[in-house]
Amino acid sequence: MIRKRSSLILCGTFLFITWNAILVLLLWSRPPPSQPGELAGDQGEAVVQPTSDVVADVLRMVDTFEVELERQKKILLQILSQRSLWEPSNRNRPKVVSRPPVIPILVIACNRVTVRRCLDKLLEHRPSAELHPIIVSQDCGHAETAEVIRSYGSKVTHLKQPDLSDIAVRPEHKKFQGYYKISRHYHWALNQVFKTLSYSSVVVVEDDLEVAPDFFEYFRAMHPLLKSDPSLWCASAWNDNGRDGYVDPGKADLLYRTDFFPGLGWMLLSELWEELEPKWPASFWDDWMRQPEQRRNRACIRPEISRTLTFGRQGVSLGQFYDKYLKYIKLNSEFVPFTKLDLSYLKEETYRVNFEKEVYSAPVVTYEDVKQGQLKGLGPFRLQYSSKDSFKVMAKHLGIMEDLKSGVPRAGYRGVVSFISKGRRIYLAPPPGWTQYDPTWS
């Protein structure tokens, strides 16, 4: 805008000078007045009239033209000296304020009327309806659940998955029909968010999740990390080993990188959906996400203390892990101002170096010492495993989740699982020099 205004000023100045030059020539061509020496022109200036001596007239004309040009030059300099007054200064120019990102919450629902508990907590803790629209995508066509969702009126957007038909599956997968429908629903719902509604990010929760008071604050802080770090592909509110007694209650602000896709309240960007959507699986979408072909050595961010809690024992998984692990997950109650914290320690190179240094400088202890609570000192301590079986045995007896997906332990980073046991920080870790996961460890 300033450059355009300067061009207009210079153009106007040029036209002004040109017009005055033409005026001089026109005055020379005018017939002489009745009284020689009479003043002529609108400004009362004396104009020299032509005579019969052509050479003398030309010379006098040149002199007059030079005088006029000098006068116009002075006018031009005055105009340029005042230009700064015509243009707004940088100090007074309005600052360009970037708008905060809109991060919608996508609630995947089916036939649980208890979706009300999920929605009530989301609405209770939501800091802004404009920045966090809530979209409920419902499958199954369950009338009672639909009525609960409708009761929220304009507070939520209610989408209905149109295809409720059964899916043709192999005979041995007939009992897994529900997993096929869930995968189809996720595909449709994420397409609605990214392609129909054109959002650039989303946080996905299911209808059996309750969120913590700083759930929204956490994901607002995660958004710039995902945007700036290509080694990250998601952020999750969930710690698979986040049971009470297995996390440090004084470390509510502690975050980790993890190679395991946690789900259960997770954020992704539209760029990731563009990558995943063409090859989205027909079933078991979460385990598919944990395969190396999808993960591509990228990590997720996860908290020490979970920002979601599942209350849905009944579902297609028939309560798998719920009674033993999930219902004991500790939900964070302390509000952490994540958007005001320095989270640069989560950048890939910085995090890896610092994490490995802490893990492998910790003293090695035995399983018996950990199990019996006979550790000396405050910790942390390192407990080493060397095979899939040794990992599973120690994890099972220490009370953390023992299953692996494509060789990656739950909540693990570079093979290391961090947890609290009897008040001490334990790193269940592979030997030094770890390089990669073994997908056969499943």
Side-chain angles (χ1 to χ4, degrees):
M1 179 65 72
I2 292 173
R3 186 175 299 172
K4 182 182 291 185
R5 187 176 295 151
S6 299
S7 299
L8 288 173
I9 293 170
L10 292 175
C11 183
T13 304
F14 174 76
L15 291 175
F16 180 76
I17 294 173
T18 304
W19 169 252
N20 279 275
I22 294 172
L23 182 61
V24 170
L25 293 175
L26 288 174
L27 289 172
W28 272 94
S29 64
R30 287 174 57 185
S34 56
Q35 296 296 327
E38 185 178 348
L39 294 179
D42 294 337
Q43 299 178 2
E45 296 175 359
V47 179
V48 181
Q49 300 299 327
T51 69
S52 58
D53 188 347
V54 176
V55 174
D57 285 346
V58 170
L59 291 176
R60 282 185 292 122
M61 179 177 175
V62 170
D63 291 338
T64 304
F65 194 68
E66 286 179 353
V67 171
E68 183 63 26
L69 285 179
E70 187 64 29
R71 193 169 70 88
Q72 299 303 326
K73 179 181 177 182
K74 292 179 180 179
I75 295 173
L76 173 60
L77 291 175
Q78 289 177 352
I79 292 173
L80 293 177
S81 68
Q82 300 298 316
R83 185 175 61 178
S84 61
L85 299 177
W86 298 14
E87 299 172 350
S89 65
N90 290 333
R91 183 175 53 203
N92 298 326
R93 191 174 301 128
K95 295 180 179 179
V96 178
V97 179
S98 58
R99 296 184 61 188
V102 176
I103 305 173
I105 310 300
L106 173 63
V107 181
I108 300 292
C110 181
N111 57 359
R112 290 189 180 106
V113 294
T114 51
V115 67
R116 183 181 297 280
R117 177 176 171 182
C118 171
L119 293 176
D120 283 349
K121 285 298 180 180
L122 284 170
L123 291 169
E124 177 185 345
H125 298 311
R126 180 172 67 170
S128 166
E130 291 74 26
L131 296 180
H132 296 287
I134 296 174
I135 303 165
V136 186
S137 180
Q138 186 191 1
D139 199 1
C140 309
H142 191 249
E144 290 82 358
T145 301
E147 184 56 37
V148 169
I149 299 168
R150 276 196 297 271
S151 70
Y152 287 87
S154 60
K155 294 178 182 178
V156 306
T157 298
H158 186 190
L159 305 179
K160 294 182 180 180
Q161 209 282 93
D163 187 358
L164 305 180
S165 63
D166 284 341
I167 300 172
V169 300
R170 303 194 306 271
E172 62 270 24
H173 272 209
K174 190 173 182 180
K175 61 181 179 180
F176 300 131
Q177 177 78 211
Y179 288 102
Y180 282 81
K181 289 185 176 182
I182 288 174
S183 190
R184 178 177 66 185
H185 184 196
Y186 263 84
H187 183 270
W188 181 84
L190 287 169
N191 267 341
Q192 295 305 302
V193 169
F194 289 123
K195 295 188 174 182
T196 303
L197 300 175
S198 299
Y199 288 110
S200 60
S201 64
V202 71
V203 177
V204 184
V205 300
E206 296 190 356
D207 56 359
D208 61 346
L209 290 182
E210 178 180 328
V211 303
D214 58 356
F215 173 87
F216 292 92
E217 172 75 4
Y218 170 72
F219 281 112
R220 293 208 70 81
M222 295 302 100
H223 186 270
L225 285 178
L226 289 185
K227 295 286 287 184
S228 63
D229 189 346
S231 70
L232 294 174
W233 71 321
C234 76
S236 172
W238 182 258
N239 176 4
D240 278 290
N241 293 311
R243 290 190 294 157
D244 201 4
Y246 287 78
V247 294
D248 186 342
K251 295 287 188 180
D253 61 341
L254 182 57
L255 305 178
Y256 296 83
R257 293 176 73 101
T258 177
D259 300 319
F260 190 88
F261 171 71
L264 293 174
W266 60 288
M267 172 188 278
L268 73 156
L269 304 180
S270 58
E271 293 86 348
L272 179 63
W273 183 241
E274 289 175 6
E275 173 192 325
L276 299 178
E277 191 270 337
K279 56 178 182 175
W280 190 253
S283 64
F284 305 105
W285 70 269
D286 48 353
D287 284 344
W288 174 83
M289 290 276 289
R290 293 160 182 154
Q291 295 172 357
E293 293 81 5
Q294 280 64 252
R295 187 170 62 84
R296 292 169 49 193
N297 294 319
R298 294 172 293 190
C300 289
I301 301 296
R302 60 100 173 165
E304 167 79 358
I305 303 177
S306 291
R307 266 60 186 185
T308 53
L309 172 70
T310 178
F311 54 84
R313 184 180 186 279
Q314 299 300 320
V316 295
S317 63
L318 301 178
Q320 183 185 25
F321 299 129
Y322 185 82
D323 289 330
K324 188 175 181 180
Y325 295 103
L326 303 184
K327 73 178 181 179
Y328 300 107
I329 292 291
K330 178 180 175 61
L331 181 67
N332 181 64
S333 58
E334 173 189 346
F335 187 93
V336 176
F338 283 111
T339 57
K340 296 179 174 61
L341 301 182
D342 181 4
L343 302 179
S344 59
Y345 71 91
L346 292 167
K347 293 290 186 179
E348 181 180 28
E349 186 65 22
T350 302
Y351 186 87
R352 181 180 60 79
V353 171
N354 292 338
F355 186 80
E356 289 185 344
K357 181 180 179 180
E358 179 170 337
V359 170
Y360 290 101
S361 63
V364 178
V365 295
T366 66
Y367 161 73
E368 289 75 17
D369 289 339
V370 177
K371 183 67 176 174
Q372 296 170 16
Q374 296 178 346
L375 301 174
K376 301 290 192 296
L378 298 177
F381 301 96
R382 176 161 51 101
L383 183 58
Q384 187 166 294
Y385 68 89
S386 56
S387 66
K388 177 180 73 172
D389 291 339
S390 65
F391 172 85
K392 283 179 169 288
V393 167
M394 286 190 280
K396 180 178 180 179
H397 288 95
L398 290 172
I400 63 173
M401 297 190 77
E402 65 196 75
D403 63 321
L404 304 108
K405 302 291 184 180
S406 297
V408 184
R410 290 182 182 268
Y413 174 72
R414 297 185 66 80
V416 180
V417 178
S418 173
F419 62 98
I420 299 294
S421 179
K422 294 180 170 52
R424 303 291 194 276
R425 173 70 62 186
I426 306 297
Y427 294 119
L428 183 55
W434 180 97
T435 55
Q436 62 183 359
Y437 294 104
D438 184 345
T440 65
W441 287 24
S442 295

